[in-house]
Amino acid sequence: MDSKSLISGLFAGLMAGSIASLLSAPASGDETRQYMKQYNWKNVNRLLSRKGQAAVYDWRYAATEGLEAVDGLTQEMKKTYSRYKQEVEPEMESIQEQIKEISDSITELNERIRKESE
């Protein structure tokens, strides 16, 4: 995309939006400025403050729940790993010993076959 066309598109959009808002304004500029001066901004600040406090509470709650979930998952993983070490590792050692015995037996049989064929 060409940056020149992007900038000209943004400028055209800003101009069209400005003209549309001027033509559709419910009151004149003087009336609007007077209304803005007389408006009770304290209520807006209180409302925003309450919403901000609620958002902070929600974020704290979500963070706490997330930490608890991660902690629970960590504990479960530790239990699973210790169970694995107790149950599976001895079986793996036994299987490895059996494989070594089978391998030794095969090697021994191969040597016998070689000796007999000579």
Side-chain angles (χ1 to χ4, degrees), residues 16-104:
S18 300
I19 292 171
S21 63
L22 283 174
L23 294 175
S24 64
S28 69
D30 291 333
E31 291 176 27
T32 304
R33 280 190 291 278
Q34 194 64 25
Y35 176 75
M36 296 296 279
K37 286 179 187 176
Q38 293 174 354
Y39 190 76
N40 187 0
W41 291 101
K42 291 180 183 177
N43 289 340
V44 173
N45 288 337
R46 282 190 205 128
L47 179 63
L48 291 176
S49 176
R50 283 189 211 131
K51 286 185 179 180
Q53 288 172 352
V56 167
Y57 174 77
D58 290 344
W59 277 101
R60 283 184 185 162
Y61 178 76
T64 303
E65 288 294 313
L67 288 174
E68 288 175 3
V70 168
D71 188 44
L73 179 64
T74 303
Q75 295 301 324
E76 284 299 316
M77 289 180 75
K78 285 180 181 178
K79 288 178 187 176
T80 302
Y81 180 71
S82 73
R83 233 181 288 133
Y84 164 79
K85 285 189 87 154
Q86 290 174 355
E87 296 173 4
V88 176
E89 279 189 355
E91 291 296 321
M92 285 180 57
E93 290 173 3
S94 171
I95 291 171
Q96 286 174 345
E97 287 176 15
Q98 290 174 0
I99 290 172
K100 186 175 181 331
E101 289 174 5
I102 291 171
S103 176
D104 291 343

Side-chain angles (χ1 to χ4, degrees), residues 9-21:
L10 285 173
F11 181 72
L14 284 171
M15 292 303 292
S18 300
I19 292 171
S21 63

